[in-house]
Amino acid sequence: MNKVNLILHAHLPYVRHLEYPKFLEENWLFESLNETYIPLLRMFEKLDMEGLGYHVSICFSPTLVTMLTDGPLQERFVDYMNGRIELGEKEAERTLHEDRECHGMALCYLEEARTNLEMFERCGRNILIGYRNLSDRNRVELLTTAATHAYLPIYKNHPTAIKAQVVTGLRTYERVFGQSSKGFWLPECGYYPGLDKVLYDNGVMWCQLASHSVISARDKSIYGGYKPVRLPSGLAGFPRDWSLTSLVWSSVSGYPCDGDNRDFYRDIGYYLPLDYVRPYIHEPEVRVFTGYKYHAITGRTENKRFYDYGKAMEKTALHVENYLYSIKRKGLALETSGIGDPIFNLCFDAELFGHRWYEGIRFLELFLRRGAECDDIAFTTPMLSILDGNEYDSLYVNESSWGTGGYSDTWLDASNSWIYRHIMKALDRMEELTHRFPEQGSLKGRFLNQASREVLLAMASDWPCIMHDRTSVSYAEKRLRNHLGSFNVVYSSMCQNTVNTEWLINAERSSQIFPDMDYTLFDPDKL
Amino acid sequence: MILVNIESLSLSELRSIAEQEGIEDSPILDREELIDALRERYEDDDEADSGDANTRYLSGITDFRGIGDYVGGLPGVVDLPDDYSETEIHLVLRNCLWAYCYWTFSQQEADEIADTGRSVYLSVAIMVDGRMDRFEVPAALGDSEWNLSIPYGDGWAEVSLVSEKDGDRRIHAVSKRIQLIDSYWLRHRDEMKSSDMLYRIYLSMLTTKEGALVENQVVEDIVELFREEDIAK
């Protein structure tokens, strides 16, 4: 039997700028909600109602769940969706007269937007309730990750910071889902020796690992990553199968790159007359994605053909068959090599499906449906695998990640190394504050808790990653400087034994995250 | 993040972005000229087009505009200092063969070093497989970071911030130690000949359908050793 752990990771950095009527980076959340999180939930609920026996694991990062449960952001999402529906209605009309090849997709997008908004409202605007229900029905294993998705290996010399990231992540999960998380998604697959103990001591049972961590371990693996890894603390590690994930994930030859798939970039926000799209782009006249895209990837050419939905769905079905075949063939090869019942850990960013890869939701649906029909494939979760009493490889795994080169180069290179002297200093000072001001309540306690939030937010892996990728660099840098500068407000004020109340009130209003923040997590004496 | 594949953008999209970027003559530039101009603007390189398979998927061509200009700070927030005027040195593992080191001198110590003409260097200590290696890396007083080469093996590395004049050696700060990357298979070449099947199992997780190996130096070195052993056999 080939056991498949499909593990999706949903994460977005904390972006909330209510001080602006519209803020473009908030679209990261809105687009992901409309194109990934809600469609995924609809698909999973549909399969569950049909009685399909599937299992998947989904990590919702603490920053994402905070935004998904934030009233003002939920309100803004409704506004965003109303705009999207309004544009869809205009598109349905326009494509009756021009670009008639696009009419079907215009109607499709419009219908999707209406259905998604309806579901959003039906969930009381909190889609996590829907996922929690699926968890209660043992279809979905939900898990958490580090508080702000910090890339943990870089901070290993600051054990209080590691503890704060882990504990705050677990607490946020408990507060939102009302249960404890047994799994912990390592941000960027970032592991270092000793991290397993921190997780295990906090009640975590498993984490995922980078695929190369097995062959490069300090011990000899006999299962090659096709059975869970027992890390020194007892924590179970599930190595990501690079070979199988790359069939999807490869930006060169993965299924999403098929020329018949919908093109992500060609969006009417960029090519229709400004007067027409102006209400749906960014003020004053910054063209952005609107979500209405009518072309197929075609190839590396400007002359893209129109998207053919039916043809793309046929291709998607073929991709699913190919994927299942690849898993089975691999399972057979492993069996002849003496490894029975292998476990394949397929770890993906959730936003790939639907948002980036329009056909991705359908791919997952067919994958689960067709897989359920196969006698030699069983969908499972890491926790179920542990409860099944699997064989293990006991390994001492080196520091590793899924970043370029398999270590820390993505988050520590010439573009972003400057940030660490500031973040590390803030972490040192945070520890110092816990010593100088132990057990503070009331205003000073709030002040110190806000300092903890700021330093945690500064640690997010998103900022150095953006700098490395050179995408939204100026925004990332600004955010980082704001968080660290804000931390310094607390530090300098507390050194004078004062509280800057104007700053505190504004900061608490602006970063409504981690309401149960406890600054004493940074106390080295409480490790 | 979604990296923008500039070549896939249409002429109107390229013009729109170029206009936002204030590229002169963008309305009359042809497609190739626009691509060149934008690449130059963003110092683009082939990496963005080849795509990192681990790239995360967010949205947007958001850096084609100056969003940073309008993210306001909170009251009382001041710019970050260039340094914190404390003498310290830190070492961070960057990958299996390189560590990143950064340091600062307090103003007082920096002034003293400058006034007395002391030379500054990094003293690197590497304990690997029970053997201690030391080497020195000269630095200027104004330097503040360096990448240090490290070996594989069972052990650790640390770096000290040192100044010296006329044989008077002064250690100003010592970093915490970092653990080196060690691997069973780099130490057990002798077992490789009898581990053909295990080798194939390992590779089955680490290769793409095109046969490309996961990008990792230790894996590449292990594979190379296995191949050498196979040839020897």
Side-chain angles (χ1 to χ4, degrees):
Chain A
M1 180 63 77
N2 300 297
K3 298 178 180 175
V4 176
N5 277 328
L6 177 60
I7 308 173
L8 302 179
H9 174 50
H11 164 67
L12 291 173
Y14 186 67
V15 176
R16 183 179 186 271
H17 293 281
L18 302 185
E19 65 274 28
Y20 300 98
K22 277 188 178 178
F23 197 83
L24 191 52
E25 269 66 12
E26 288 177 353
N27 282 10
W28 292 345
L29 174 67
F30 305 152
E31 289 174 9
S32 298
L33 257 169
N34 182 50
E35 294 164 8
T36 296
Y37 309 144
I38 296 176
L40 261 184
L41 179 59
R42 283 170 46 206
M43 185 268 284
F44 287 141
E45 286 189 346
K46 182 171 73 173
L47 295 183
D48 183 49
M49 285 176 67
E50 291 176 14
L52 193 82
Y54 69 91
H55 293 287
V56 297
S57 305
I58 308 178
C59 170
F60 283 101
S61 72
T63 48
L64 178 59
V65 301
T66 301
M67 292 189 289
L68 289 175
T69 53
D70 183 294
L73 287 177
Q74 291 169 343
E75 186 67 39
R76 284 187 174 211
F77 175 65
V78 171
D79 291 344
Y80 169 87
M81 290 302 289
N82 285 330
R84 198 148 168 159
I85 289 167
E86 185 183 292
L87 178 58
E89 288 165 348
K90 282 173 65 175
E91 277 298 278
E93 178 64 24
R94 183 186 71 84
T95 52
L96 277 176
H97 312 293
E98 56 183 276
D99 294 340
R100 292 178 61 85
E101 300 90 336
C102 309
H103 185 63
M105 280 312 295
L107 293 177
C108 182
Y109 290 134
L110 176 59
E111 179 61 23
E112 284 173 355
R114 285 176 173 154
T115 307
N116 288 340
L117 181 57
E118 186 185 309
M119 181 167 199
F120 186 70
E121 295 289 7
R122 201 169 60 240
C123 289
R125 298 188 173 184
N126 179 4
I127 63 157
L128 296 176
I129 291 171
Y131 282 101
R132 167 64 205 260
N133 290 339
L134 289 170
S135 166
D136 291 343
R137 295 171 61 77
N138 293 320
R139 289 283 158 256
V140 173
E141 179 181 354
L142 295 172
L143 60 143
T144 191
T145 181
T148 58
H149 207 261
Y151 175 67
L152 300 175
I154 280 184
Y155 298 106
K156 62 179 180 289
N157 280 336
H158 280 90
T160 58
I162 299 292
K163 179 185 170 189
Q165 283 282 348
V166 169
V167 171
T168 307
L170 290 167
R171 284 181 185 171
T172 302
Y173 179 94
E174 285 170 17
R175 179 171 48 78
V176 172
F177 291 107
Q179 58 191 17
S180 58
S181 178
K182 295 299 175 193
F184 192 96
W185 176 275
L186 298 179
E188 321 293 3
C189 263
Y191 175 84
Y192 66 88
L195 179 57
D196 55 314
K197 186 172 187 320
V198 179
L199 296 172
Y200 194 70
D201 288 350
N202 282 285
V204 176
M205 303 287 286
W206 68 271
C207 65
Q208 93 288 16
L209 292 171
S211 40
H212 62 87
S213 62
V214 173
I215 187 176
S216 62
R218 291 180 179 225
D219 302 304
K220 179 180 179 179
S221 161
I222 55 173
Y223 296 118
Y226 295 105
K227 300 282 183 184
V229 169
R230 180 78 74 195
L231 296 163
S233 65
L235 189 81
F238 288 80
R240 174 185 185 230
D241 190 313
W242 164 260
S243 173
L244 288 174
T245 52
S246 71
L247 289 173
V248 173
W249 207 316
S250 168
S251 59
V252 179
S253 62
Y255 303 130
C257 304
D258 191 295
D260 286 328
N261 283 347
R262 194 203 64 179
D263 189 83
F264 176 80
Y265 298 106
R266 187 67 55 91
D267 186 295
I268 64 165
Y270 281 93
Y271 66 81
L272 285 186
L274 205 52
D275 285 343
Y276 181 79
V277 296
R278 186 176 283 111
Y280 314 103
I281 59 174
H282 198 68
E283 292 175 357
E285 287 184 345
V286 180
R287 287 180 177 269
V288 295
F289 291 129
T290 64
Y292 287 86
K293 306 164 198 263
Y294 300 122
H295 294 81
I297 290 174
T298 312
R300 286 202 165 192
T301 169
E302 181 186 0
N303 301 315
K304 295 184 184 293
R305 59 179 181 269
F306 284 114
Y307 179 62
D308 182 336
Y309 181 85
K311 193 175 179 186
M313 290 302 133
E314 283 174 20
K315 268 290 182 64
T316 301
L318 291 176
H319 291 154
V320 168
E321 294 305 321
N322 178 270
Y323 204 42
L324 289 166
Y325 168 75
S326 300
I327 292 172
K328 291 178 185 181
R329 195 182 63 172
K330 194 167 177 183
L332 278 175
L334 287 168
E335 194 173 348
T336 58
S337 302
I339 297 181
D341 298 334
I343 297 178
F344 301 109
N345 302 306
L346 311 178
C347 307
F348 299 104
D349 279 343
E351 296 80 12
L352 169 65
F353 300 92
H355 173 53
R356 176 66 178 83
W357 177 23
Y358 179 65
E359 298 76 11
I361 303 283
R362 179 66 177 161
F363 177 90
L364 285 181
E365 179 181 347
L366 287 179
F367 181 52
L368 294 171
R369 283 186 189 281
R370 293 284 297 121
E373 294 169 7
C374 302
D375 294 336
D376 48 0
I377 285 186
F379 291 105
T380 181
T381 69
M383 204 55 219
L384 288 174
S385 303
I386 291 169
L387 294 172
D388 276 353
N390 262 289
E391 298 155 294
Y392 285 84
D393 252 339
S394 288
L395 298 181
Y396 187 101
V397 170
N398 285 300
E399 186 166 322
S400 45
S401 83
W402 73 3
T404 305
Y407 298 101
S408 301
D409 294 272
T410 299
W411 303 275
L412 179 59
D413 72 355
S415 72
N416 53 34
S417 59
W418 65 271
I419 72 175
Y420 294 105
R421 65 177 66 233
H422 298 289
I423 298 176
M424 303 297 186
K425 179 55 69 180
L427 292 172
D428 287 341
R429 288 178 167 181
M430 194 63 232
E431 290 187 359
E432 178 192 333
L433 288 173
T434 64
H435 265 190
R436 290 172 64 180
F437 304 98
E439 297 175 16
Q440 291 291 324
S442 192
L443 200 57
K444 280 185 183 169
R446 279 171 54 195
F447 206 34
L448 291 163
N449 285 337
Q450 189 58 34
S452 308
R453 292 185 191 100
E454 301 293 349
V455 77
L456 286 178
L457 287 165
M459 290 171 73
S461 72
D462 307 278
W463 314 135
C465 184
I466 288 171
M467 292 171 192
H468 172 84
D469 288 345
R470 288 175 284 120
T471 47
S472 299
V473 176
S474 56
Y475 177 68
E477 187 171 331
K478 190 85 176 181
R479 281 289 303 273
L480 200 103
R481 288 183 183 278
N482 272 353
H483 290 306
L484 291 168
S486 292
F487 171 81
N488 287 339
V489 171
V490 179
Y491 182 75
S492 55
S493 296
M494 290 300 284
C495 285
Q496 298 165 42
N497 207 15
T498 60
V499 172
N500 182 333
T501 48
E502 185 193 5
W503 175 87
L504 177 61
I505 290 165
N506 280 293
E508 285 179 336
R509 191 183 298 147
S510 139
S511 299
Q512 297 206 350
I513 189 169
F514 310 139
D516 42 8
M517 189 72 237
D518 175 9
Y519 75 92
T520 64
L521 286 170
F522 286 91
D523 184 348
D525 293 338
K526 292 185 178 177
L527 278 174
Chain B
M1 307 299 143
I2 290 177
L3 299 179
V4 177
N5 181 356
I6 289 182
E7 286 186 357
S8 75
L9 298 176
S10 69
L11 186 60
S12 59
E13 289 164 333
L14 289 167
R15 285 210 170 116
S16 165
I17 293 165
E19 279 171 23
Q20 286 168 27
E21 281 304 310
I23 292 174
E24 286 183 16
D25 301 329
S26 57
I28 58 168
L29 293 180
D30 67 21
R31 183 177 156 72
E32 291 309 311
E33 288 168 335
L34 284 167
I35 289 174
D36 288 345
L38 284 170
R39 282 215 164 116
E40 193 177 325
R41 179 63 54 98
Y42 299 114
E43 297 175 351
D44 210 341
D45 59 17
D46 291 341
E47 213 175 278
D49 279 347
S50 64
D52 179 348
N54 291 320
T55 294
R56 296 232 319 283
Y57 293 96
L58 291 182
S59 153
I61 311 180
T62 50
D63 215 24
F64 285 95
R65 62 198 171 76
I67 190 165
D69 297 341
Y70 64 90
V71 182
L74 294 168
V77 175
V78 296
D79 287 344
L80 294 177
D82 291 335
D83 61 60
Y84 294 89
S85 197
E86 291 171 31
T87 301
E88 55 190 21
I89 188 164
H90 300 270
L91 192 59
V92 185
L93 188 76
R94 185 170 165 180
N95 58 44
C96 57
L97 295 174
W98 289 95
Y100 172 70
C101 175
Y102 67 92
W103 66 90
T104 52
F105 280 108
S106 69
Q107 194 59 52
Q108 184 184 352
E109 285 186 83
D111 290 345
E112 185 186 341
I113 288 168
D115 292 346
T116 55
R118 299 177 71 84
S119 58
V120 176
Y121 61 90
L122 308 178
S123 174
V124 183
I126 296 176
M127 172 67 86
V128 58
D129 300 334
R131 190 186 74 248
M132 175 70 88
D133 287 333
R134 290 184 187 277
F135 62 95
E136 293 174 356
V137 179
L141 185 56
D143 290 345
S144 62
E145 60 182 353
W146 201 260
N147 286 302
L148 298 170
S149 173
I150 51 174
Y152 297 138
D154 181 18
W156 48 262
E158 75 175 20
V159 59
S160 304
L161 185 57
V162 181
S163 70
E164 184 171 344
K165 185 179 185 189
D166 302 333
D168 173 31
R169 186 172 182 270
R170 195 177 305 167
I171 297 174
H172 296 268
V174 182
S175 76
K176 289 182 180 173
R177 290 173 181 174
I178 58 167
Q179 189 179 35
L180 303 177
I181 300 290
D182 194 16
S183 166
Y184 180 89
W185 285 110
L186 291 176
R187 292 176 169 279
H188 293 83
R189 189 170 177 161
D190 54 312
E191 286 185 35
M192 288 182 169
K193 281 182 183 172
S194 57
S195 303
D196 273 10
M197 191 172 285
L198 198 50
Y199 174 60
R200 283 197 296 274
I201 291 170
Y202 289 150
L203 282 195
S204 71
M205 181 174 278
L206 301 172
T207 47
T208 65
K209 67 180 179 187
E210 292 86 5
L213 194 63
V214 67
E215 192 184 348
N216 181 262
Q217 190 61 51
V218 175
V219 173
E220 286 172 24
D221 290 346
I222 291 171
V223 166
E224 187 58 33
L225 287 176
F226 264 106
R227 284 178 181 158
E228 284 176 12
E229 287 302 315
D230 191 48
I231 290 165
K233 194 166 57 169

